[in-house]
Amino acid sequence: MKDAHALLHQLSQQPIDLTKPGVLNAHRVTSMCVEACGLKLLYGTERIDDRVIDALERLAVQGNALQQMEAMQAGEKVNRIIGFQSENRSALHTAMRDQFGHTHNGIEARLYAEKAARELQKLKGFLDRIEGKFIDLVQIGIGGSDLGPRALAIALEAYHRPHHRVHFLSNVDPDDAAQVLRHLDLTKTIVVVVSKSGTTLETLTNEEIVRARFAKKGLNPKEHFVSVTGETSPMDDPSRYLESFYMWDVVGGRYSATSMVGGVALGFCLGYQGFCEVLKGAHEMDLHARSTPVRSNLPLLNALFGIWNRNYLKIPTLAMIPYSQALLRFPAHLQQLDMESNGKRIDHYGHPMSIQTGPVVWGEVGTNGQHSFYQLIHQGTDPISLEFIGFKESQYGEDMQVAHTTSQEKLLANLFAQSIALATGQASDNPNRVFPGNRPNRMVLAKRLDPYTMGALLAYYEHKVVFQGFLWQINSFDQEGVQLGKVLATKILSHFSTQRTKEKAEPFPVAESYLRQLDS
Amino acid sequence: MKDAHALLHQLSQQPIDLTKPGVLNAHRVTSMCVEACGLKLLYGTERIDDRVIDALERLAVQGNALQQMEAMQAGEKVNRIIGFQSENRSALHTAMRDQFGHTHNGIEARLYAEKAARELQKLKGFLDRIEGKFIDLVQIGIGGSDLGPRALAIALEAYHRPHHRVHFLSNVDPDDAAQVLRHLDLTKTIVVVVSKSGTTLETLTNEEIVRARFAKKGLNPKEHFVSVTGETSPMDDPSRYLESFYMWDVVGGRYSATSMVGGVALGFCLGYQGFCEVLKGAHEMDLHARSTPVRSNLPLLNALFGIWNRNYLKIPTLAMIPYSQALLRFPAHLQQLDMESNGKRIDHYGHPMSIQTGPVVWGEVGTNGQHSFYQLIHQGTDPISLEFIGFKESQYGEDMQVAHTTSQEKLLANLFAQSIALATGQASDNPNRVFPGNRPNRMVLAKRLDPYTMGALLAYYEHKVVFQGFLWQINSFDQEGVQLGKVLATKILSHFSTQRTKEKAEPFPVAESYLRQLDS
């Protein structure tokens, strides 16, 4: 069997031209569609044809994509660089939601599914105990302890229980804390501090600031603070927290929204059952991802189209555009998920990559983006690839006909129009009205953005990213690239603290010249 | 004199290697710094040396960058494609803030500065008249009528007057309106509807939805609605609006934050004087941009570094990272400003470009980004360029020492550490701990994010984008690339409305196949 890479490379020399009359037709749109867990993936506007799909399927088979997904969900040590010191552990975010009959029999998978079940029971009891006591919840965390839970809480605001608001405090910028705390009644506020290690600089600093604010009001922080942390971390401390929920090394930050990292805040605002619906959607997508053949497997197909666009059509960025105001912060979560997972330059043997890995992922909600950066997508000098998300129904159902159509219809008409326009382009005698087209894009459609669908969408993108990592043979679960900045920041901090501690800071002339710029 | 382009191309074959020990030293950081209007531009971490700066200066001189800036501010017709139908008009956003002695003598510039002065007087009187009557202001607008004003209103929240809140409604998604209107007391709410043409689909639709809400409450919308629109547009109508403020074709949407497009909302929350401070900062940057030689001209240097990274070092994207929570939405504004202005494929004679124009611009605030996408920036396979923004002081001044340093110090330490780490990288025996470095980045530092500084920052980026457009010889002021999607969306909408109007929609088989996917 011919090497899939060579075949794809050959096919990429002359990809299908979507701007040719009749190429993007109704049959193409209808037939290039697969469905699972309430999500429909439409990919007729990608620059692919049957030969490309065959070759991508071959790539997935030769790369053992499905076997690797099965191994990950079973608990094999997929987070490793072979031959070098590395985290060397499994990646079991799927076990967090394997709570509907414990479907997976892998020993590690079962172990962590059971641990997660205990935390869920703890959460249920905890939510019952605090019922009616708190109106505002502030989650302190950064990165994975912030972006995923925040995106989901915002996305599901239409489903929040009355008098259950959530807020997020992440940045070490003191103005973030000042702003978040400004309008809260602390007597009715619960604070969830999230840090796996219990040592994250930003999180610990903000925790101290918020604790001091409670103390100043004469309130006992212990009655208001909850931790989500590793067992045995410094934050697993009943003398300081009303309750501690556990997370584990096998669940990476950016994959942790369905663990207690997202669970406490989402359970608070959606109710326990609402959070379980999110888990159910994610779990069913997990099952789909590990057991469905390539051509019907939504996240795997998505991963393959991404690889085709990235490695063969050489497109460096991916715009994520949900046509849904509720998904306002979902692109920021997907940006972290994708770029922190697959922004890697070595394979899992430690060899430098010879092809490109993860693209720059960016985006805003539609239709807003149309009035902003779409100019460049349509008529810039670099091709861009796009993923859209759309829903048949709005969340609130508060809509109105203006000029014979509802707002939801206007939203969908714009989504479909952009997908078509980007693919087909337009010829014109006026060079400024020429649209080159052939901007590859795909779309996920669902009925409505509810907790179940949100869970399915979340897992759909997690598995897309993971499948791409498997096929690139990289480690999608570590993040060594964040370490150097941390080390240098600590060194520079000692230059700030030296005047207070009287200790001498290690010389760091370049950094000192930055510090002098602040004062001159 | 040798052609600057050829020289830069030659120099780019061996750019300075910032990873070599001693190259990034204290002298380099200190000497590669220019200052104006309270902003300091530090560029020692760009991959440039004296030869590159000389060649970039030559590029600016050969491209008549300063003369073109002067011509733009004077009111010459810079918004045109020569030889083809185009908007064919001037770009006079700078006239909006030329309100401190009318410094510019160009006839058009003077004309629009005087028009703007009349609107400012109108605003002053209006704000006095409504004083105490309203607590919440909702601005309905999209694109330039949303992103800039929103970014500035959020950035300056620390300076808002008590009981003067602002909200923005942009998306045609009905959930956006439902969400924004949910918690407002309409009796105390003023609505500002912004559309130059008075015909923007999203804006008119949302206006109708909000008007209906007022009517349902028994309130007279006319007592609550204000328009910002072109003279003679359908929205310049005293029978429907309490007041109408004017904007003109010579001020493009993405450059309109200092016109009444931003003025009404910012005047409301900051007070009239506060908005004038924003104008003053922008105006002083306008003067600086048009009258300062290349090597001391902040926006022009920024533009040149961008061109160096884009066209010679071939870096496709630019990350904009403010280390300031208040600048949360400023990257989204800069994304529009840059990508809609310079995402162009033809020059101003209508010829296809032979080099790349505007990059993909994306970003989030620091330190949050460090826990998200910095992995890819440090260790991905594509190089990324970055612009940072930092402030010596926080806005609220509510800070606390934790482990001997304040949060503001931690924020700055991280900013400086990242700038250095990205440039120098790190060697290691463990391939996963290798940081290749040479990620070019530059930084703007200021004392504090106040209204004046916000105005200066806004104009700094406007002029950077415009200078790049001048040097690429493209039209940075039109947006033909948004038209095709609008046309197709209108066609698709007729398929939604056909069941209600009984009129037959024009056949559009591809779109119809999308519509069927919604129902199957």
Side-chain angles (χ1 to χ4, degrees), chain A residues 179-487:
Chain A
Q179 185 65 31
V180 169
L181 294 173
R182 246 180 139 187
H183 305 292
L184 297 181
D185 173 2
L186 295 190
T187 63
K188 293 275 192 186
T189 299
I190 184 167
V191 180
V192 183
V193 188
V194 186
S195 170
K196 201 189 291 176
S197 63
T199 62
T200 313
L201 171 84
E202 287 88 342
T203 301
L204 294 195
T205 301
N206 279 323
E207 178 179 9
E208 287 313 305
I209 288 175
V210 180
R211 277 187 183 267
R213 198 65 82 87
F214 272 83
K216 208 175 150 190
K217 286 261 174 201
L219 297 166
N220 180 1
K222 202 229 164 238
E223 302 296 317
H224 295 261
F225 278 61
V226 168
S227 67
V228 179
T229 192
E231 283 181 81
T232 76
S233 105
M235 277 167 53
D236 180 13
D237 179 353
S239 75
R240 286 167 58 82
Y241 299 97
L242 193 55
E243 184 67 274
S244 288
F245 295 94
Y246 296 133
M247 55 202 289
W248 306 278
D249 280 348
V250 298
V251 180
R254 55 195 175 273
Y255 298 95
S256 69
T258 51
S259 76
M260 285 301 120
V261 171
V264 182
L266 293 172
F268 179 79
C269 62
L270 300 175
Y272 180 75
Q273 280 310 323
F275 178 59
C276 288
E277 279 295 301
V278 175
L279 296 185
K280 191 157 189 234
H283 173 64
E284 292 187 0
M285 184 56 75
D286 297 341
L287 294 181
H288 171 80
R290 80 171 191 249
S291 60
T292 311
V294 183
R295 296 172 88 110
S296 311
N297 189 311
L298 266 70
L300 180 48
L301 281 175
N302 191 341
L304 291 167
F305 301 145
I307 287 174
W308 168 249
N309 289 332
R310 176 76 168 137
N311 294 132
Y312 302 96
L313 303 185
K314 308 285 182 197
I315 299 178
T317 79
L318 171 64
M320 300 285 336
I321 321 279
Y323 273 65
S324 158
Q325 187 66 23
L327 289 177
L328 189 62
R329 293 303 290 165
F330 198 48
H333 167 67
L334 297 176
Q335 184 176 60
Q336 174 190 38
L337 177 65
D338 205 322
M339 293 175 70
E340 199 167 42
S341 295
N342 290 344
K344 303 285 165 70
R345 54 183 293 284
I346 56 166
D347 68 17
H348 59 221
Y349 294 97
H351 303 136
M353 291 296 293
S354 58
I355 57 170
Q356 309 305 107
T357 56
V360 168
V361 174
W362 56 285
E364 294 280 338
V365 294
T367 59
N368 292 12
Q370 292 176 203
H371 297 259
S372 168
F373 49 76
Y374 274 49
Q375 165 66 41
L376 184 145
I377 300 181
H378 281 290
Q379 292 190 322
T381 47
D382 281 346
I384 311 277
S385 61
L386 300 94
E387 286 196 53
F388 295 114
I389 305 172
F391 302 95
K392 185 183 180 188
E393 299 171 5
S394 69
Q395 287 184 316
Y396 290 98
E398 294 173 12
D399 207 336
M400 199 175 115
Q401 282 180 37
V402 175
H404 307 297
T405 55
T406 65
S407 288
Q408 188 65 20
E409 288 167 345
K410 292 184 180 78
L411 184 66
L412 287 165
N414 273 279
L415 166 58
F416 299 154
Q418 290 297 337
S419 175
I420 296 167
L422 288 162
T424 62
Q426 174 182 268
S428 172
D429 291 338
N430 184 333
N432 210 19
R433 293 182 188 154
V434 171
F435 290 71
N438 278 324
R439 268 60 176 158
N441 66 85
R442 54 195 178 274
M443 182 185 302
V444 161
L445 284 180
K447 186 161 183 247
R448 183 198 287 226
L449 184 57
D450 56 21
Y452 173 90
T453 303
M454 187 68 249
L457 261 181
L458 179 79
Y460 165 68
Y461 284 108
E462 287 175 357
H463 295 316
K464 166 207 159 175
V465 166
V466 161
F467 272 129
Q468 289 187 336
F470 290 156
L471 293 170
W472 281 322
Q473 304 188 38
I474 59 177
N475 181 358
S476 301
F477 306 102
D478 67 353
Q479 54 281 322
E480 278 294 332
V482 307
Q483 295 303 330
L484 177 58
K486 279 191 202 175
V487 171

Side-chain angles (χ1 to χ4, degrees), chain B residues 153-225:
Chain B
I154 292 172
L156 298 172
E157 211 160 311
Y159 297 85
H160 286 195
R161 300 187 291 165
H163 311 300
H164 287 80
R165 291 185 295 249
V166 290
H167 315 266
F168 292 85
L169 170 53
S170 52
N171 204 334
V172 76
D173 181 344
D175 288 333
D176 196 9
Q179 185 66 31
V180 168
L181 294 172
R182 245 179 142 188
H183 304 292
L184 296 181
D185 173 3
L186 295 189
T187 65
K188 292 276 192 187
T189 298
I190 184 167
V191 181
V192 183
V193 188
V194 186
S195 170
K196 201 189 291 175
S197 63
T199 62
T200 313
L201 170 86
E202 287 89 341
T203 301
L204 294 196
T205 301
N206 279 323
E207 179 179 7
E208 287 312 304
I209 288 174
V210 180
R211 276 186 184 267
R213 198 66 81 88
F214 274 83
K216 207 175 151 189
K217 285 259 175 204
L219 296 165
N220 179 2
K222 202 229 161 237
E223 302 295 317
H224 294 261
F225 277 62

